[in-house]
Amino acid sequence: MKKNILLGVCGGVAAYKSAELVRLLRREGFEVRVMMTAAATRFVGSLTFQALSGHPVATDLLDAGQESAMGHIHLARWADRILIAPATANFMARLTQGMVDDILTAVCLAARAPPVLVPAMNSAMWLNPATQANREIIESRGIRLLGPGRGELACGESGEGRMLEPEEILNRLRELSPTGPLQGRSALVTAGPTREPLDPVRFISNRSSGKMGYALAEALQAAGASVTLVSGPVSLAPPPGVERVRVETALEMYDAVFARIDQAPLDLFVACAAVADYRPAEVSAGKIKKNDANMTLSLTRNPDILTEVAALPADRRPCCVGFAAETGDIRRLGEEKLRRKGADLLAANLVGGTQGGFEDDNNALTLLWHDGQAEKRCGDAPVADLRMDLPMMPKRELAAALVSFIEEHFFACNPSS
Ligand code: C5P
């Protein structure tokens, strides 16, 4: 599974092994960012990690420049997995205490998922009761420790405390299963526009950028779901770890969605694509010539993917989330669409204005659901109203908020089978 790994490097001799680790992780397909303690930069220069990871290295919690580029909160959200290697006795002690006195501890405290620690230190330090007490506390909080191993140590002694070799760390990471509230769930997200060809060079399409759908795929994956993204033509890279199926037309999108549903049961379907409602009735084999002053196009209705998925028999029907881009009264139009399409949840937003919606990095959503629908799926965790507004915010944050809502109201009391 391809993911974003945030590697924290502490100040120990073993820091040099982490440079090799970055190289191996990238070769494996991980996107890697690095943060270092001040002491770590005394052992290995941050430029080494910058060159190997392809990203600037975060070294300072109080540096305004670094914080505005990608601050500790953003780093914590960006990371699918935080790996601290080497983790020193000092770092373990500070983490145990919940201290936030550098970028590494700040990120670990701000992250949703617990970090993975790869300890490295002299064996007397490792076996010291203080370190062992910290180890116990750390492990009781669900934080995984990889190693330490036994062998020759940098101080010349031999014993327990040696950092695992980069290859071994990679193998152990492969074994760690993805964690998160949607672990074991499968989700399919449609995203982007469709293109409906008129002739070999022209098509009908729309302004959808795919940003919202890609952000949702990423947020679902970060929550532990295994995600398939069926995407129309956009210029975005697929989120690491998400399987992407590329399509052009609405009919291709329809086929790709149903092929996936036929393959294995799906828990969640999120229809975020701006699917063309109509396609040209005929696709000209050659380029259409301009002959007359006026030209009339004949269009045929495309199948409505969301409606058809929502109408599947109960044993094959996933939880269905639709989107509605409207230019008018989003509440009224959204409620009507929710009913007509048979979705469980509808996320409506305004488009065509000056801010938010298509192409923009920000958006606001009004969530609408049926009377009793969320409660029905979620036992005794009723939601207060049948509507919730998610205010204007970056699409990645909005996606995380929407995924949390889905988790809480449609899946929390409905364990995966
Ligand atoms: O009817 P409208 O296109 O506004 O509906 C939007 C919702 O329906 C979105 O969730 C969109 O992905 C989905 N849709 C679909 N297949 C279509 C048209 C829309 O799945 N042919």
Side-chain angles (χ1 to χ4, degrees):
M1 184 168 295
K2 309 301 175 214
K3 289 190 156 214
N4 289 349
I5 294 215
L6 180 58
L7 175 68
V9 183
C10 299
V13 187
Y16 77 92
K17 292 189 189 176
S18 300
E20 170 68 358
L21 180 60
V22 173
R23 216 180 53 79
L24 293 182
L25 288 168
R26 289 200 68 191
R27 200 169 69 187
E28 184 83 359
F30 290 102
E31 188 71 16
V32 183
R33 284 179 179 268
V34 179
M35 49 185 181
M36 301 174 80
T37 62
T41 60
R42 308 280 295 274
F43 286 93
V44 183
S46 63
L47 268 180
T48 302
F49 285 107
Q50 177 169 326
L52 289 170
S53 68
H55 293 290
V57 173
T59 52
D60 197 343
L61 183 60
L62 303 176
D63 181 309
Q66 284 191 10
E67 275 287 304
S68 65
M70 203 184 213
H72 64 286
I73 301 291
H74 280 102
L75 278 171
R77 286 192 188 135
W78 174 87
D80 296 311
R81 172 131 9 244
I82 298 172
L83 182 66
I84 308 293
T88 54
N90 177 41
F91 177 80
M92 288 176 63
R94 289 185 292 121
L95 188 65
T96 307
Q97 293 302 317
M99 286 173 73
V100 181
D101 53 356
D102 68 4
I103 184 86
L104 275 71
T105 43
V107 166
C108 287
L109 257 65
R112 279 208 323 182
V116 174
L117 269 51
V118 191
M121 64 198 77
N122 161 278
S123 58
M125 288 173 84
W126 172 250
L127 294 172
N128 186 288
T131 307
Q132 287 304 310
N134 291 336
R135 178 189 61 74
E136 261 176 47
I137 294 172
I138 284 171
E139 287 187 324
S140 73
R141 291 177 187 157
I143 296 173
R144 303 282 292 262
L145 263 63
L146 308 183
R150 286 190 155 274
E152 204 182 308
L153 302 168
C155 55
E157 291 174 18
S158 184
E160 208 178 349
R162 193 182 154 84
M163 182 162 117
L164 298 185
E165 292 304 315
E167 282 281 5
E168 218 177 329
I169 296 171
L170 194 61
N171 286 336
R172 299 284 293 274
L173 281 179
R174 287 194 192 108
E175 288 163 14
L176 296 178
S177 54
T179 53
L182 291 181
Q183 192 176 348
R185 305 280 188 188
S186 57
L188 188 154
V189 180
T190 65
T194 63
R195 281 182 185 168
E196 309 299 327
L198 278 159
D199 67 17
V201 292
R202 303 183 181 94
F203 54 80
I204 299 174
S205 191
N206 58 65
R207 293 181 181 281
S208 170
S209 64
K211 285 177 189 166
M212 191 67 221
Y214 275 57
L216 275 162
E218 190 179 2
L220 285 164
Q221 206 252 354
S226 73
V227 185
T228 307
L229 181 60
V230 176
S231 172
V234 296
S235 58
L236 302 171
V242 168
E243 181 202 3
R244 178 170 67 173
V245 180
R246 299 175 85 145
V247 296
E248 290 251 332
T249 66
L251 289 179
E252 285 171 11
M253 186 169 276
Y254 179 96
D255 287 345
V257 167
F258 280 92
R260 170 63 191 81
I261 289 175
D262 289 345
Q263 218 175 43
L266 191 67
D267 294 306
L268 177 66
F269 175 59
V270 184
C272 194
V275 187
D277 293 324
Y278 294 91
R279 65 180 181 277
E282 277 176 37
V283 182
S284 169
K287 190 179 168 198
I288 300 169
K289 299 288 175 215
K290 49 177 177 300
N291 294 321
D292 305 320
N294 295 311
M295 182 182 168
T296 306
L297 283 177
S298 174
L299 301 173
T300 305
R301 266 300 274 274
N302 274 325
D304 193 296
I305 305 168
L306 175 58
T307 305
E308 294 205 24
V309 173
L312 283 169
D315 59 334
R316 293 180 65 216
R317 184 189 183 281
C319 175
C320 291
V321 179
F323 274 73
E326 304 292 353
T327 50
D329 176 351
I330 55 170
R331 172 120 200 223
R332 188 179 57 75
L333 295 168
E335 275 168 1
E336 193 271 321
K337 200 162 280 185
L338 175 72
R339 244 170 281 283
R340 181 160 44 82
K341 302 217 174 206
D344 301 292
L345 178 69
L346 194 104
N349 68 301
L350 265 180
V351 286
T354 50
Q355 230 196 340
F358 283 176
E359 293 177 316
D360 207 302
D361 286 330
N362 298 308
N363 205 2
L365 292 173
T366 296
L367 305 185
L368 303 159
W369 58 95
H370 302 287
D371 192 6
Q373 193 68 28
E375 290 92 328
K376 195 173 75 198
R377 285 179 174 263
C378 192
D380 54 4
V383 271
D385 195 1
L386 303 176
R387 165 198 173 163
M388 190 169 90
D389 289 321
L390 298 175
M392 187 66 71
M393 61 181 113
K395 284 180 175 170
R396 288 183 81 182
E397 284 175 32
L398 199 58
L402 179 53
V403 167
S404 295
F405 183 88
I406 294 169
E407 262 165 48
E408 213 176 306
H409 296 293
F410 289 89
F411 286 116
C413 305
N414 182 12
S416 60
S417 44

